[in-house]
Amino acid sequence: MKKDLKDMVYGFVGLGLMGGSLAKAVRENVLSVADASGRIFACDKNRTVLDLAKKGGIIDEGFSAETADDMISACDFVYVCLYPHATLDFLTNHGSFFKKGAIVTDISGVKAGIVDGLSETLHDYADFIPGHPMAGSEKEGYIHSSGAVFSGRNYILLPQRTTNPENLVLFKELITAIGFTRIIETDAETHDHKIAFTSQLCHIIASALVDSAEDEKITEFGGGSFEDLTRIAMINAPLWSELFLANKKELLDHIESFEEALDDLKELIRWNDGKGLTKKLENVRKKRMAMSCIDTSA
Amino acid sequence: MKKDLKDMVYGFVGLGLMGGSLAKAVRENVLSVADASGRIFACDKNRTVLDLAKKGGIIDEGFSAETADDMISACDFVYVCLYPHATLDFLTNHGSFFKKGAIVTDISGVKAGIVDGLSETLHDYADFIPGHPMAGSEKEGYIHSSGAVFSGRNYILLPQRTTNPENLVLFKELITAIGFTRIIETDAETHDHKIAFTSQLCHIIASALVDSAEDEKITEFGGGSFEDLTRIAMINAPLWSELFLANKKELLDHIESFEEALDDLKELIRWNDGKGLTKKLENVRKKRMAMSCIDTSA
């Protein structure tokens, strides 16, 4: 029988900012039709969050961390919404409890470590298709989750050699249904290389810029540029430390390329090369304008 | 007789993005009351822009660059909205044509060069109070101007030894009337030091980040961080080249401090110092959250 998104049982492992936002998006966009028979389960070590989500009508049932296996064995689609190392640990330790043929995915911001670290046997139990929803917030926890944050965003998918094509189609339907507008398919190495630039390097730069501010009153002299560049410096420190270290080589390479570009500009200024500076900035403007960017003003 | 904002004659020298936006804001907020007798003049080398502004009801009369003196001799309040060097040139060459006692201001993003470069005699003719409205756009020209862009923004004022206190009060009334919420008073050196950080360094970083991007398709892998960090890299190249070089020493100092902060982060990553990295990022988060930032989402 062909699976239908509206009749599936979804399980969220970890109901934080991302798990909560994804669960809400599924509830609001997929299970809101009259004839939907699908359900949403979630497991989290925080009982209060589970109660809140159940009371709010987002999940149908909450499971403690200890009873995670009870949950995942009943789910057609499992979203593992944990930090990178915890994701690998969960998949390694609980892999054999997934429902046979279930679609399983994650949201980790680094991929090679997970894909390479997994035992091949996981694929005997479930169809693990790693993914990376490109949306977030400087706020943390279920309390700040929202089903609306995925609108217009990018989703990166990493189909595996073992991926069932029908499951991939179904997964993409889900991604589109919850608001994403662009799905990129790639491999773990390419993902980690590109993400080290678009995401991790940006967070490093924002953090360094805040760190180098003389004092907290400097913003009185600002026009918004500093704010826009440093919003992401309100960072989830443990999560991002883990991401940076897990993608160390790629990230260090990008930092160094950025430093070279910065050095080029610095030298043009140091030597009063107005003509060279104008030319460089004109090229930068053209390059940025040619980029197909998502609208982040929402 | 006490001067009243609604009855004054305003002159804008240069009707580009900023001159146009300021003229529109004055028209919409100050001269919109029923009993206002004030008028708005503008002079620009581009006749089409003047015609457009007159047809749109923003200015009452347009003047060519050649007849600038006719205009400024009739104005109670002159806004010089030119690039930094052109601002100094204009004030130097036309200073003796200002109406006696008129308030004159500028919008230049660097100040020491202008304040130090002006002849003391300017103050015999007019009350020159340098200023810096902290608002802008990556778009250029009168066509993209808007009277609404100043809402909630910062304005930096540089009262001079010769400033008439009544004029300063009036100027602040105008600034508040057109939407700004915070007025900072400072001197040229402090201005240039702080602005080199909040504005110029941010533009340099954004430009270097775009420059270091491998290709224009990288944004397919992005979640919005890169977009937020690089919007200002759609830069007005000649204007910003001039600003960077005019504030070279301060800017180079800030670039170097930023590079040191970046290096600290890089070393923590290189040596896998997860504990040190988390601690650093937690401090950055706290520092950024303690900053009183303007809302740039509008």
Side-chain angles (χ1 to χ4, degrees), chain A residues 48-186:
Chain A
T48 314
V49 157
L50 294 172
D51 290 344
L52 194 66
K54 192 168 176 186
K55 213 171 281 179
I58 304 303
I59 67 169
D60 296 288
E61 192 155 350
F63 294 78
S64 67
E66 291 70 33
T67 58
D69 294 335
D70 296 343
M71 182 186 89
I72 63 174
S73 61
C75 292
D76 305 301
F77 196 115
V78 178
Y79 244 115
V80 181
C81 301
L82 302 172
Y83 285 16
H85 288 140
T87 297
L88 182 58
D89 286 349
F90 186 88
L91 292 170
T92 303
N93 298 328
H94 300 264
S96 61
F97 292 92
F98 287 118
K99 186 172 165 181
K100 183 90 183 161
I103 302 173
V104 177
T105 191
D106 74 323
I107 62 158
S108 171
V110 280
K111 292 301 186 201
I114 290 174
V115 171
D116 298 346
L118 278 179
S119 154
E120 276 290 316
T121 59
L122 174 65
H123 300 295
D124 298 339
Y125 303 106
D127 197 357
F128 177 55
I129 311 175
H132 188 180
M134 299 300 297
S137 166
E138 67 274 10
K139 293 172 181 149
E140 293 165 25
Y142 179 80
I143 195 81
H144 291 114
S145 65
S146 157
V149 293
F150 307 121
S151 173
R153 298 280 164 163
N154 297 328
Y155 206 113
I156 308 176
L157 275 184
L158 295 84
Q160 304 296 294
R161 192 173 41 81
T162 50
T163 298
N164 175 339
E166 281 177 32
N167 285 341
L168 187 61
V169 169
L170 206 64
F171 193 177
K172 287 184 185 174
E173 274 177 32
L174 180 74
I175 291 169
T176 305
I178 61 179
F180 292 89
T181 44
R182 186 157 56 182
I183 302 173
I184 303 287
E185 290 183 41
T186 191

Side-chain angles (χ1 to χ4, degrees), chain A residues 190-297:
Chain A
T190 307
H191 171 276
D192 289 1
H193 176 71
K194 303 276 192 185
I195 287 299
F197 181 81
T198 59
S199 176
Q200 291 163 5
L201 174 63
C202 291
H203 282 76
I204 287 286
I205 288 172
S207 300
L209 182 54
V210 169
D211 196 29
S212 79
E214 285 171 346
D215 58 68
E216 290 153 10
K217 292 182 138 259
I218 189 76
T219 48
E220 291 178 358
F221 289 82
S225 302
F226 177 81
E227 280 87 341
D228 285 343
L229 264 74
T230 59
R231 199 160 292 110
I232 55 172
M234 288 182 277
I235 203 162
N236 177 332
L239 172 60
W240 283 92
S241 293
E242 195 180 322
L243 288 167
F244 295 153
L245 294 181
N247 206 15
K248 173 177 157 174
K249 199 200 150 298
E250 296 292 341
L251 178 55
L252 289 176
D253 283 353
H254 284 303
I255 294 177
E256 272 155 29
S257 300
F258 169 74
E259 284 173 330
E260 282 165 30
L262 187 59
D263 219 50
D264 286 350
L265 282 164
K266 204 169 65 170
E267 289 310 298
L268 290 166
I269 294 167
R270 192 189 303 285
W271 298 104
N272 290 314
D273 185 352
K275 217 165 155 182
L277 194 54
T278 304
K279 194 175 162 206
K280 166 76 86 179
L281 295 177
E282 263 160 12
N283 288 338
V284 161
R285 178 188 172 89
K286 267 183 220 145
K287 187 172 177 184
R288 176 58 172 78
M289 290 184 84
M291 287 172 167
S292 153
C293 288
I294 59 176
D295 178 12
T296 60
S297 63

